[in-house]
Amino acid sequence: MHILVISQYFWPENFRINDLVSDFVERGHLVTVLTGVPNYPEGRVFDDYRKNPSAFLSYLGARVIRVPMTTRGSGAISLLLNYFTYALSASLLGSWRLRRESIDVIFVYEPSPVTVGIPGALMRRLLGAPLVFWVLDLWPETLKAVGVIQSRSGLGLVALLVRWIYRRCDLILAQSKSFIPQIRAYSDLSKRVEYFPSWAESLFGAGFEASAAPEVPSQSGAFTVMFAGNIGEAQDFPSILNAAELLSVSHPHIRWIIVGDGRLGDWVSQEVKRRNLESNVFLLGRFPVERMPSFFRSADALLVTLKSEPIFAMTIPGKLQSYLASGKPIVAMLDGEGARLLQESGAGIAAPSGDAAKLAAAVVSVSEMPEPERALMGRNGAELYAQEFERNTLLDRLELWMKQLAVNYQADRE
């Protein structure tokens, strides 16, 4: 098949779509990616790309078409401009670049924003190919939860856009089972919706070989809790810092390692200094995904958090699969589906979202467990990953759906 992948984010940005594109190519498909200029998460164009854009026009055998857009910047207005300028540029310039292409399936990757569906819907009509839309973030609910849009009229306009996009899809994929009723509420009953969760990159598989990351400070007797990923509104860093502050005196051997970057990175750094947490909380910055196993190797427990919002209770955080596959015990501050997975599998301990005191208690509980119990938690996580999130099983399922769509769509047009 010739697969057109539409994604606002793509390599060298670190997203699951990179892994999916490489797998499509490995399975013998011709792949074209329509994306933007790499600037996530810092909000400025990557230095390597700015110096040599032509070096980023192919990726492991996939052709990459990049269209101009504004960068994310640091405020809500610049972020919304970033979303809509990509959608406009991909719709107009992308349509022109692809107008003579023979495409079998269009695959849209939507971690956020949903506006990436606009060029997807237009390409479906222009190219005469079925549209698969992978929903990893529900709009307008997420916009309300993180405070980007609060007005009822604004949220209503976004809901109209979501409905317009969903009703032009041939297959909608939901990253969480809890997403499915919400998606159906915006799409008509004839639209097919399937559960399709994320997976971990293969380098996180059980038994990975990696030496401990030298960037993690050596400290005898320390218990290391590690957060890896985006430092943003959704991750509720105020509550994480509150938990760290609660334990800074009573349990000074517990340290919090933050690997990643994001829009709240500067604020977190300032708060660590203001609260005198420099000896307990370490901000190491962003590293390539290939380095993550070495950081995980340096952790005693891995931390995943989301704010206390109804939309986030429906969400399986993207990092959870990587954590599970790594075979490390997990401490969470989550509600809903993510918490349920951890508790039922015995892969970790989940405190309620927004509850810093219970997060602190969960961290202490894991730190005081005998090592065999923590190891059992890690094995339970790896087993859950193998049962529910194994990469090849998921990709076999997706490939079959896409082949069936391409055949049926072509038959209907003849």
Side-chain angles (χ1 to χ4, degrees), residues 39-361:
N39 69 106
Y40 181 95
E42 294 93 342
R44 57 183 178 82
V45 178
F46 285 21
D47 290 339
D48 289 345
Y49 179 84
R50 191 172 60 250
K51 292 174 184 175
N52 186 16
S54 61
F56 296 87
L57 297 180
S58 65
Y59 176 73
L60 301 178
R63 179 176 58 140
V64 182
I65 297 174
R66 296 187 182 271
V67 296
M69 64 187 192
T70 63
T71 59
R72 294 170 62 85
S74 58
I77 299 300
S78 61
L79 184 61
L80 290 175
L81 282 172
N82 168 256
Y83 291 166
F84 283 101
T85 54
Y86 170 75
L88 180 64
S89 187
S91 296
L92 298 179
L93 297 179
S95 295
W96 178 257
R97 293 283 303 274
L98 292 160
R99 67 193 186 281
R100 294 191 177 92
E101 298 282 340
S102 177
I103 302 293
D104 296 300
V105 178
I106 301 165
F107 184 93
V108 175
Y109 175 73
E110 187 260 327
S112 192
V114 78
T115 47
V116 73
I118 297 173
L122 295 176
M123 293 292 178
R124 177 182 184 267
R125 183 174 181 84
L126 173 70
L127 302 174
L131 175 60
V132 179
F133 195 78
W134 191 14
V135 179
L136 289 96
D137 199 9
L138 284 175
W139 277 38
E141 292 83 359
T142 295
L143 291 180
K144 182 180 179 181
V146 300
V148 174
I149 298 177
Q150 293 294 335
S151 71
R152 180 173 296 181
S153 58
L155 293 169
L157 288 173
V158 176
L160 288 174
L161 174 62
V162 171
R163 186 172 290 110
W164 183 85
I165 291 169
Y166 284 179
R167 292 186 176 188
R168 282 155 181 80
C169 298
D170 299 280
L171 172 62
I172 303 174
L173 306 177
Q175 67 103 299
S176 161
K177 292 177 182 177
S178 299
F179 276 23
I180 293 177
Q182 200 74 5
I183 291 171
R184 291 197 184 282
Y186 288 108
S187 60
D188 61 55
L189 294 178
S190 67
K191 296 303 176 185
R192 181 178 171 192
V193 184
E194 298 281 359
Y195 170 54
F196 186 73
S198 295
W199 59 92
E201 292 85 350
S202 56
L203 53 87
F204 289 108
F208 65 80
E209 295 295 330
S211 56
E215 293 85 356
V216 177
S218 177
Q219 182 179 337
S220 178
F223 182 84
T224 300
V225 181
M226 183 172 291
F227 175 98
N230 184 49
I231 303 176
E233 291 283 351
Q235 287 71 36
D236 195 6
F237 268 85
S239 293
I240 294 174
L241 293 179
N242 288 343
E245 195 168 17
L246 286 171
L247 299 182
S248 61
V249 175
S250 61
H251 296 78
H253 69 292
I254 293 177
R255 60 180 183 170
W256 308 69
I257 304 291
I258 313 299
V259 182
D261 200 356
R263 296 172 67 82
L264 289 187
D266 289 341
W267 179 86
V268 172
S269 179
Q270 293 166 9
E271 282 294 294
V272 167
K273 293 176 182 176
R274 186 182 71 82
R275 301 180 190 216
N276 297 315
L277 293 174
E278 291 98 327
S279 60
N280 302 95
V281 180
F282 300 85
L283 300 170
L284 302 188
R286 184 172 63 92
F287 292 84
V289 66
E290 292 80 13
R291 288 293 318 283
M292 289 303 101
S294 68
F295 285 99
F296 288 8
R297 181 73 174 267
S298 304
D300 296 299
L302 299 172
L303 174 65
V304 56
T305 61
L306 284 174
K307 285 178 69 174
S308 179
E309 292 284 351
I311 178 58
F312 295 139
M314 302 179 192
T315 302
I316 301 175
K319 64 169 63 66
L320 185 59
Q321 285 87 347
S322 299
Y323 283 6
L324 292 169
S326 72
K328 289 281 185 175
I330 298 171
V331 179
M333 188 170 58
L334 295 173
D335 296 329
E337 191 145 350
R340 179 188 61 79
L341 284 169
L342 289 178
Q343 291 165 344
E344 290 181 357
S345 65
I349 298 178
S353 291
D355 195 326
K358 288 188 178 178
L359 172 60

